[in-house]
Amino acid sequence: MFDGPEPIYVQIAEQLRRQVLDGTLAAGDQVMSTTQYATTFRINPATAAKAFAQLVDEGVLYKQRGVGMFVAEGARERLREQRRGAFFTDRVDGLIAEASALGVSADELVAYIRTNQKGNDR
């Protein structure tokens, strides 16, 4: 499960962010405890705790003492806003440069996006 080059806590945090972004986890939903993560994925509980602490610091999760960790109100919107800016600079700028080098016009890019985005709008 966690076999990427990033530290496991980073992978756990990213997995939870993706679940919030795609709606698998909604505001108010409880997430697995650090102990459950450790048992399920056979990792050190401190590793899971480090991921959760990072998400609490980011405002994605909040801790309810004695009950567990929950998805914070507005977490999805915060994550979306944070990633939108990075999306354009990290992905689209490179795509535009590559398209230009290949002689692909802006109109061709737009047409391709419109054709392939159907059914993926949220």
Side-chain angles (χ1 to χ4, degrees):
M1 168 119 225
F2 301 111
D3 57 359
E6 303 88 8
I8 292 172
Y9 80 92
V10 172
Q11 294 179 58
I12 292 169
E14 184 56 28
Q15 178 186 57
L16 289 167
R17 284 186 203 100
R18 276 193 311 273
Q19 289 175 337
V20 171
L21 278 168
D22 72 17
T24 303
L25 288 173
D29 285 353
Q30 187 170 12
V31 298
M32 280 196 288
S33 70
T34 56
T35 304
Q36 288 171 315
Y37 253 92
T39 303
T40 302
F41 298 111
R42 295 186 176 163
I43 60 171
N44 187 316
T47 300
K50 189 170 183 177
F52 285 22
Q54 183 177 6
L55 294 171
V56 168
D57 289 346
E58 293 172 10
V60 175
L61 299 179
Y62 69 93
K63 183 187 287 189
Q64 193 168 342
R65 191 179 190 120
V67 181
M69 297 287 235
F70 297 84
V71 177
E73 286 294 327
R76 184 175 191 201
E77 292 76 19
R78 275 192 297 283
L79 284 170
R80 278 184 147 177
E81 188 59 35
Q82 176 186 57
R83 291 195 175 193
R84 281 179 74 91
F87 171 77
F88 288 104
T89 57
D90 294 350
R91 302 210 180 182
V92 178
D93 289 351
L95 175 117
I96 291 169
E98 181 73 10
S100 178
L102 296 172
V104 176
S105 72
D107 289 339
E108 288 175 288
L109 279 176
V110 170
Y112 183 85
I113 291 168
R114 285 193 173 129
T115 298
N116 290 288
Q117 189 176 21
K118 291 180 179 161
N120 291 327
D121 291 331
R122 291 182 190 221

